[in-house]
Amino acid sequence: MRIALIHALRHSPPPIEAAFARLWPEAGLMNLLDDSLSADLARDGTLTPAMTGRFLALARYALGTGADGILFTCSAFGPCIEAVQREFPRIPVLKPNEAMIEEAAAAGGRIGLLASFAPTLASMPPEFPAGLALRPRLAEGALAALDRGDAAEHDRLAGEAARDLAGCDVIALAQFSLASAAPRVAEITGRPVLTTPESAVRKLRRLLGAG
């Protein structure tokens, strides 16, 4: 069983690989990274048809290697990923956040949404079911800390930002790159924390009949 992992941030591979190692170590993984996608989105401020074309090209390449499923790991590109899902309806193609959104919705109550990449807080909330009480929060400076290799500062800033979410029933970390901060966020808030990598692995296993 081969799962293609397609990334737009260079920080995304380690957390999803760690989640697979914990939850589905038998899966074979391949990584495709185009970190210019996130840079171009930050520059342009909007998704473009050209970006969608790039997502489709990455998916076609992954399928050409024999991938049984595709998991995208950057949460700011929902419409681009939906285009891939329409193009390849016969295999699992997952948005990075869809499994976590399902788990958060099932938990109910007030949901805190923590992100470190600002465009994610524009693109992701509409993906939650209508009627949920959603409180978004940006961990300012956390992604920049990760960019310069300071993982401890990244986790600290994420934890500090999450203090505002302590009144929520569950906290959802909106990006794969935030997964390392889950223990810190849980410690500071005392709330259950969902991460996109672990939720995604659980859903892929189920869809592909591996447990």
Side-chain angles (χ1 to χ4, degrees):
M1 189 77 67
R2 172 176 286 182
I3 307 299
L5 308 173
I6 301 181
H7 315 285
L9 287 170
R10 60 187 175 87
H11 309 297
S12 298
I16 185 58
E17 289 173 343
F20 269 99
R22 287 191 299 271
L23 301 174
W24 192 9
E26 303 83 8
L29 305 179
M30 66 169 293
N31 289 280
L32 293 176
L33 169 65
D34 180 358
D35 58 0
S36 70
L37 283 163
S38 55
D40 290 350
L41 177 57
R43 179 198 66 208
D44 297 341
T46 188
L47 298 174
T48 67
M51 288 179 188
T52 298
R54 290 159 69 183
F55 270 74
L56 288 166
L58 288 165
R60 291 183 189 117
Y61 179 86
L63 291 174
T65 72
D68 300 290
I70 297 175
L71 172 62
F72 289 92
T73 66
C74 190
S75 53
F77 295 90
C80 299
I81 300 167
E82 289 166 6
V84 177
Q85 290 173 330
R86 291 191 295 270
E87 183 88 2
F88 304 107
R90 296 182 181 178
I91 68 162
V93 176
L94 267 62
K95 294 180 182 178
N97 39 39
E98 67 179 75
M100 185 186 68
I101 288 171
E102 290 168 3
E103 292 185 356
R110 295 160 297 176
I111 300 168
L113 181 65
L114 184 67
S116 60
F117 185 54
T120 298
L121 291 182
S123 65
M124 191 171 173
E127 297 177 19
F128 281 81
L132 287 178
L134 192 65
R135 184 173 184 184
R137 181 75 169 87
L138 179 66
E140 300 224 16
L143 188 58
L146 206 57
D147 284 339
R148 62 177 182 266
D150 194 343
E153 178 67 359
H154 166 270
D155 292 357
R156 186 191 72 79
L157 290 169
E160 289 304 309
R163 289 187 188 277
D164 290 345
L165 304 176
C168 296
D169 297 291
V170 64
I171 297 173
L173 303 187
Q175 295 150 238
F176 279 58
S177 56
L178 273 169
S180 65
R184 181 71 173 151
V185 170
E187 176 187 2
I188 285 178
T189 64
R191 311 312 302 163
V193 177
L194 296 173
T195 72
T196 43
E198 293 198 346
S199 297
V201 173
R202 285 191 286 266
K203 182 168 184 176
L204 274 171
R205 281 198 70 161
R206 185 172 69 254
L207 290 176
L208 290 167

